[in-house]
Amino acid sequence: MTRPESIAGVINVDAEGLIRMFTQHDDLVLLDSRIASDRNEGYIEGSIKLPDIDTNCASLATAAPSLTTPLMFYCNGIRGGHSANAAASVSTYHPFDANPLTGPEVKPAIK
């Protein structure tokens, strides 16, 4: 399983961090990296369904209008690993360290 801290430019946030990101970034794209059965149990309103197994450069380009679009992947928590897998699969395409969520020193969020 991919660990978030092993992906350059990726950090974890808690629920309060997610709320803070949404209030600071109107263009934030929230990607639900969980499998369909998990999403059917409930999801964060406004999130885009993009399971980690379907996440690639083409699917991300459909969800995020540009490489500077702030992204946040989420799943069932750090032990689930779906969001980390999704971020890892597109990390060479989307420059997490240039993401406007937090600037070049602190990287965008993943949970």
Side-chain angles (χ1 to χ4, degrees), residues 50-97:
L50 187 57
D52 62 333
I53 59 173
D54 297 331
T55 303
N56 55 47
C57 294
S59 63
L60 184 63
T62 301
S66 78
L67 290 177
T68 60
T69 299
L71 301 176
M72 185 172 288
F73 297 88
Y74 83 93
C75 64
N76 295 334
I78 198 164
R79 290 180 39 196
H82 295 291
S83 58
N85 291 340
S89 68
V90 298
S91 63
T92 57
Y93 170 74
H94 193 282
F96 291 116
D97 61 345

Side-chain angles (χ1 to χ4, degrees), residues 15-37:
E16 289 81 19
L18 174 63
I19 293 167
R20 187 174 53 254
M21 296 293 187
F22 267 116
T23 60
Q24 295 174 350
H25 303 280
D26 294 338
D27 56 345
L28 177 68
V29 173
L30 182 62
L31 301 164
D32 184 348
S33 300
R34 302 172 302 155
I35 59 175
S37 61

